């Protein structure tokens, strides 16, 4: 976007003809500058003298001194892992990199993770298993318009990423087909050629069923499988038992629709399969994604023009945020913390002894679940995340926040998480700082600063450098984003996510550079896999994917499925969007979508208060009756706090590989009125 200054210091959003959105923005983008002068904006640090006292204004010196003192005291009592760090997928590349370095060099703690663990981790793990690399889309967005068939699994792009819909509309005008898999008839599904209204938690069955039909109808590409893949026999055997009538019974999708979907994919010369949070935020999320990757590979629709498998990222820097060290097991450049060569390389860049680097720590939910308990973190620093609303089993997590000896939060509003804090640090907003971000295509872009932060507000980089200085290691922490990026380039060199050939000047001139880019004379890599896959032998891997039920299925006490997701007017935990009047007009409070026939069973009318109950807790929301949802399923958006917080209900059961919680499937009951 472009920002234009008006009289009185107000800023308006103007369209920008950029290669990805081509001038398009959603309502959240058009209204985003309203946050810059919001009256609830934090403009001074806040501290709490003790847990019984309210937060009060303080100077920066007092606030940072308190954080540094708490860190030192906690580590003296509980060891280095007594302090944890929690980051966010909205941080710039520079901030994500510096946060990971701060944890491992200044704190020397293994306890760091971020909210991207709750977002793209299952697709990332599956892509690494199958392709040897994780980049959301292995091709530029405009390629979508050229695909004859697109299979979109578990995404409502029309509401959650509206600018991308222009490519689907263009694809439709070219005569292309769109298949959407979703338990709800969303606006995206309504625009599709075919909507597969799946039973929550049965995504792998659908993928195996489509592969079964593709094999029987001889749609698979034998030459591609032989030349460019390995282990197809594993997938072939696994899919052989998923005959159409069995798949229909499990998924609720008719055999006729299954065959039509397989035909649309199998007969197409070019096809793309995309997954999003629907199949990924499950205790079998990695297997779900692998099953759809199996299908794409078997059809020979990977590594060719206008073909491929891709993951749709869910946060502002969802791709870059997971590449440079915020994850518990990861170092910059997508290097691994448990790899001796990777450790030695990064230690050399940072000028430290490799032995001083901590080992991999706990994943996001596991770290949060143990806060304040024996063996868990006793002090936590949070940057760019609102875990009191966004974590599963949120009521339990809120109690764990209060069990901490110390909590510090950097944010620009007093979020639900910041309200629990001992120190709150007011940080700069997006238009007040510069830095790079990496979008879902792997395109590294530059976000330029339009204005300085208000007096009394500091950037997260300033905060981290101030803390590092107080902790006795200022020499390791560059303080300016361009300087940080130069170090990030060196740290990523030779890694999977190689940024070493990318410079800010190149980004400006080219509207972004695609990684990997191993040299300044390298053009970047818009399309991956055209010649080989980045595996040991250059071949992609098939995987056997058996069907496993969700960890919690409906029963007599909790007879319905609950699934959660996003809506047009709100974003993430709502810390920002719930403070914009125009967005609150469109979606002012939490609600549950329920089929009218099911609502009649419970005597529930439109707009009435209802109580949702799971084995984790209760939430009170408004009933929204709609024929667009399955009879056995309820949908609640996760953007709201308080009694309407969807994550009071969700199941923290974790995928064994990605450690992704099962946000998308659990068992629930609904009751008329407020009963909790």
């Amino acid at each position: 976007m472009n920002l234009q200054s008006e009289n009185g210091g107000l800023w308006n959003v103007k369209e920008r003809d950029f290669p990805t959105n081509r001038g398009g923005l959603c309502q959240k983008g058009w209204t985003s500058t309203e946050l810059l002068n919001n009256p609830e904006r934090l403009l001074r640090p806040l501290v709490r003298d003790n847990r019984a006292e309210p937060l009060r204004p303080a100077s920066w010196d007092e606030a940072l001194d308190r954080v540094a003192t708490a860190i030192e005291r906690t580590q003296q009592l509980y060891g280095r892992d007594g302090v944890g760090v929690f980051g966010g997928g909205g941080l710039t590349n520079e901030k994500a990199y510096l946060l990971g370095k701060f944890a491992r060099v200044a704190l020397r703690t293994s306890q760091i993770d971020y909210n991207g663990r709750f977002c793209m981790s299952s697709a990332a793990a599956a892509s690494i298993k199958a392709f040897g690399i994780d980049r959301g889309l292995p091709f530029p967005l405009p390629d979508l318009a050229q695909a004859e068939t697109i299979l979109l699994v578990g995404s409502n792009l029309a509401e959650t990423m509206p600018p991308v819909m222009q490519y689907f509309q263009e694809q439709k005008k070219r005569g292309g087909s769109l298949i959407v898999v979703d338990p709800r008839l969303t606006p995206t599904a309504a625009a599709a050629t075919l909507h597969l209204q799946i039973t929550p938690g049965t995504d792998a069955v659908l993928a195996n069923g489509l592969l079964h039909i593709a094999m029987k109808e001889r749609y698979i590409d034998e030459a591609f499988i032989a030349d460019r893949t390995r282990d197809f026999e594993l997938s072939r055997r696994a899919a052989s038992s998923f005959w159409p009538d069995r798949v229909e019974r499990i998924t609720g999708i008719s055999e006729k629709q299954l065959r039509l979907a397989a035909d649309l994919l199998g007969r197409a010369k070019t096809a793309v399969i995309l997954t999003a949070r629907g199949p990924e935020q499950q205790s079998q999320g990695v297997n779900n994604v692998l099953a759809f990757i199996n299908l794409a590979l078997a059809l020979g629709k990977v590594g060719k023009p206008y073909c491929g498998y891709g993951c749709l990222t869910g946060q502002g820097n969802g791709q870059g945020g997971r590449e440079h060290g915020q994850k518990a097991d990861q170092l910059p450049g997508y290097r691994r913390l448990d790899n001796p060569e990777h450790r030695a390389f990064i230690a050399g860049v940072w000028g430290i002894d490799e032995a001083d680097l901590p080992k991999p720590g706990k994943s996001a939910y596991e770290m949060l679940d143990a806060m304040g308990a024996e063996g868990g973190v006793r002090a936590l620093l949070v940057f760019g995340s609102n875990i009191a609303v966004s974590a599963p089993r949120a009521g339990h997590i809120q109690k764990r926040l209060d069990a901490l000896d110390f909590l510090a939060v950097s944010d620009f509003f007093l979020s639900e998480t910041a309200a629990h804090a001992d120190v709150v640090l007011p940080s700069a907003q997006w238009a007040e700082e510069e830095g790079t971000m990496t979008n879902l295509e792997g395109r590294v872009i530059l976000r330029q600063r339009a204005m300085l932060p208000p007096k009394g507000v500091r950037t997260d980089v300033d905060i981290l450098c101030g803390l590092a200085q107080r902790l006795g290691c200022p020499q390791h922490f560059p303080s300016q984003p361009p300087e940080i990026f130069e170090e990030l380039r060196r740290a990523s060199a030779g890694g999977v996510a190689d940024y070493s050939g990318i410079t800010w000047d190149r980004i400006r001139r080219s509207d972004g550079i695609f990684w990997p880019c191993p040299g300044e004379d390298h053009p970047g890599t818009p399309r991956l896999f055209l010649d080989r896959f980045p595996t040991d032998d250059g071949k992609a891997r098939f995987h056997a994917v058996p069907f496993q039920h969700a960890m919690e299925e409906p029963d007599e006490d909790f007879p319905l499925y609950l699934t959660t997701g996003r809506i047009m007017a709100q974003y993430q935990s709502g810390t920002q969007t719930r403070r914009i009047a125009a967005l609150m007009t469109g979606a002012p409070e939490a609600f549950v979508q329920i089929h009218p026939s099911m609502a009649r069973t419970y005597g529930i009318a439109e707009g009435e208060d209802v109580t949702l109950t799971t084995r984790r807790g209760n939430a009170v929301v408004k009933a929204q009756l709609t024929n667009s949802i399955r009879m056995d399923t309820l949908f609640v958006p996760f953007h709201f706090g308080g009694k309407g917080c969807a994550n009071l209900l969700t199941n923290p059961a974790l995928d064994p590989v990605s450690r992704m919680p099962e946000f998308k499937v659990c068992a629930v009951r609904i009751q008329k009125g407020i009963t909790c």
Side-chain angles (χ1 to χ4, degrees):
M1 65 173 72
N2 286 319
L3 296 187
Q4 185 178 71
S5 179
E6 303 288 351
N7 293 333
L10 299 177
W11 291 80
N12 286 332
V13 175
K14 301 294 181 182
E15 68 180 35
R16 179 182 175 188
D17 187 17
F18 195 78
T20 50
N21 63 323
R22 299 193 296 200
L25 291 170
C26 70
Q27 188 182 17
K28 295 183 283 289
W30 290 117
T31 58
S32 58
T33 54
E34 292 184 25
L35 293 168
L36 298 173
N37 296 309
N38 189 286
E40 295 183 54
R41 176 91 187 261
L42 297 176
L43 299 175
R44 292 187 64 185
L46 303 174
V47 301
R48 199 186 303 274
D49 293 320
N50 59 66
R51 289 291 171 86
E53 296 293 327
L55 290 163
R56 63 166 176 82
S59 69
W60 273 101
D61 280 340
E62 180 185 2
L64 293 177
D65 286 347
R66 281 184 177 232
V67 177
T69 298
I71 289 170
E72 291 172 336
R73 180 177 63 247
T74 302
Q75 292 191 322
Q76 287 171 0
L77 290 173
Y78 302 106
R80 296 193 180 278
D81 283 355
V83 177
V85 178
F86 200 91
L91 302 181
T92 63
N93 291 323
E94 291 77 10
K95 291 195 290 185
Y97 170 83
L98 203 67
L99 190 65
K101 183 179 179 181
F102 175 81
R104 281 139 186 156
V105 176
L107 302 180
R108 292 177 60 185
T109 180
S110 69
Q111 300 303 298
I112 175 173
D113 214 279
Y114 82 126
N115 62 17
R117 179 75 67 174
F118 298 158
C119 204
M120 287 78 61
S121 61
S122 290
S127 293
I128 291 169
K129 280 177 168 285
F131 305 131
I133 194 171
D134 160 41
R135 198 180 87 182
L137 295 183
F139 47 77
L141 274 168
D143 282 14
L144 292 173
Q146 306 291 331
E148 287 188 24
T149 298
I150 299 174
L151 173 63
L152 178 63
V153 188
S155 176
N156 180 18
L157 282 171
E159 290 194 88
T160 63
M161 208 179 289
V164 176
M165 286 302 292
Q166 62 187 298
Y167 298 111
F168 290 83
Q169 292 161 358
E170 188 176 334
Q171 187 244 9
K172 184 176 182 179
K173 288 179 182 178
R174 292 174 178 270
S177 300
L178 172 62
I179 307 165
V180 172
V181 181
D182 200 302
R184 299 187 298 144
L185 180 63
T186 65
T188 309
T193 310
L194 177 63
H195 174 214
L196 305 180
Q197 198 162 23
I198 192 169
T199 299
T202 63
D203 301 86
V205 176
L206 170 61
N208 277 326
L210 292 175
L211 179 55
H212 180 103
I213 296 171
M215 292 189 299
K216 186 174 181 180
E217 299 298 326
R218 301 184 183 278
Y219 291 143
I220 63 174
D221 188 332
E222 300 279 6
F224 178 87
I225 292 170
D227 293 342
R228 302 204 57 193
T229 73
R230 282 180 48 181
D231 304 325
F232 175 60
E233 185 61 22
L234 297 176
S235 297
R236 187 196 66 77
R237 286 202 302 265
S240 63
S241 63
F242 288 88
W243 47 90
D245 61 338
R246 180 189 179 204
V247 174
E248 178 177 348
R249 290 195 302 273
I250 297 172
T251 66
I253 300 167
S254 71
E255 183 173 339
K256 179 180 178 181
Q257 287 183 309
L258 291 169
R259 293 189 180 279
L260 176 56
D263 287 346
L264 289 172
L265 285 166
R267 296 179 188 276
K269 293 180 180 179
T270 56
V272 170
I273 295 177
L274 302 172
T275 66
R277 303 303 80 77
E280 297 164 16
Q281 287 181 322
Q282 297 184 31
S283 60
Q284 292 297 314
V286 174
N287 275 344
N288 289 340
V289 175
L290 284 172
F292 284 105
I293 291 176
N294 286 342
L295 178 62
L297 289 172
L299 295 172
K301 298 301 192 290
V302 181
K304 298 177 180 179
Y306 314 127
C307 294
Y309 161 78
C311 159
L312 298 170
T313 51
Q315 297 191 66
N317 196 26
Q319 181 66 52
R322 67 184 187 261
E323 295 169 358
H324 298 298
Q326 287 192 91
K327 288 178 70 176
D329 56 355
Q330 198 178 91
L331 290 168
Y334 234 128
R335 288 182 163 88
R336 291 188 58 85
L337 197 52
D338 59 2
N339 183 305
E341 292 182 8
H342 293 183
R343 292 171 61 87
F345 180 87
I346 295 300
V349 174
W350 288 349
I352 62 174
D353 191 318
E354 182 270 335
D356 289 338
L357 281 173
K359 301 296 183 183
K362 296 175 181 176
S363 71
Y365 182 78
E366 291 166 302
M367 179 171 68
L368 299 177
D369 181 44
M371 289 185 297
E374 185 176 353
V377 299
R378 310 303 287 254
L380 184 69
L381 312 182
V382 179
F383 290 81
S385 187
N386 187 12
I387 51 183
V389 173
S390 63
R393 197 185 172 197
H396 169 71
I397 295 303
Q398 291 163 16
K399 292 177 182 176
R400 301 320 311 159
L401 287 170
D402 289 335
L404 288 166
D405 295 347
F406 182 82
L407 173 64
V409 175
S410 175
D411 210 326
F412 29 82
F413 294 109
L414 191 68
S415 68
E416 285 84 354
T417 304
H420 289 261
D422 299 285
V423 175
V424 181
L425 304 170
S427 59
Q429 291 198 52
W430 54 277
E432 301 162 352
E433 58 182 1
E434 58 186 355
T436 61
M437 306 181 84
T438 307
N439 76 353
L440 74 169
E441 312 163 296
R443 185 196 302 259
V444 185
I445 61 179
L446 181 62
R447 190 179 70 191
Q448 300 183 82
R449 185 175 64 196
M451 66 200 76
L452 293 172
K455 183 179 179 181
V457 170
R458 297 186 183 181
T459 68
D460 289 324
V461 169
D462 291 333
I463 293 168
L464 290 171
C465 288
L467 290 174
Q469 187 172 23
R470 284 167 170 78
L471 295 170
C473 51
Q475 70 275 15
H476 294 297
F477 291 89
S479 61
Q480 298 301 316
E483 188 183 3
I484 300 169
F485 188 77
E486 288 302 303
E487 185 177 305
L488 184 158
R489 291 176 62 199
R490 297 195 302 275
S492 71
V496 174
D498 192 332
Y499 284 32
S500 59
I502 303 175
T503 67
W504 279 28
D505 286 340
R506 288 192 69 189
I507 297 172
R508 284 193 183 97
R509 293 196 305 267
S510 306
D511 281 338
I513 303 290
F514 293 85
W515 70 262
C517 182
E520 291 190 38
D521 58 348
H522 191 284
T525 314
R527 295 175 180 85
L528 299 173
F529 314 145
L530 295 180
D531 301 312
R532 69 186 309 276
F533 296 93
T535 58
D536 293 342
D537 58 5
K539 295 186 176 185
R541 271 43 170 183
F542 282 94
H543 292 80
V545 179
F547 171 54
Q548 293 183 337
H549 287 281
M551 293 298 290
E552 189 175 271
E553 293 281 322
D555 57 23
E556 185 176 347
D557 294 326
F558 302 93
L560 301 172
Y561 287 103
L562 174 70
T563 191
T564 65
R566 306 168 190 245
I567 56 177
M568 170 80 82
Q570 300 291 343
Y571 183 66
Q572 300 296 82
S573 69
T575 302
Q576 298 177 64
T577 51
R578 284 188 274 127
R579 288 174 165 84
I580 297 177
L583 301 181
M584 288 300 289
T585 299
E589 58 187 336
F591 60 85
V592 58
Q593 288 188 341
I594 181 172
H595 194 280
S597 296
M598 187 59 65
R600 283 195 294 273
T601 300
Y602 289 93
I604 295 169
E606 175 73 24
E608 283 190 324
D609 286 324
V610 297
T611 300
L612 305 179
T613 303
T614 70
R615 291 178 174 87
R616 271 72 53 196
N618 306 287
V620 177
V621 295
K622 296 289 186 183
Q624 186 181 99
L625 277 55
T626 174
N627 289 304
S628 67
I629 196 164
R630 290 174 55 96
M631 287 273 292
D632 59 0
T633 303
L634 305 179
F635 168 83
V636 179
F638 58 67
H639 310 293
F640 299 90
K643 293 183 178 180
C645 177
N647 283 317
L648 294 169
L649 307 169
T650 49
N651 191 353
L654 302 180
D655 182 285
V657 177
S658 68
R659 316 310 288 169
M660 166 75 81
E662 194 152 49
F663 290 100
K664 282 293 185 282
V665 193
C666 70
V668 65
R669 66 171 175 258
I670 186 170
Q671 295 169 277
K672 181 177 180 177
I674 301 174
T675 61
C676 58

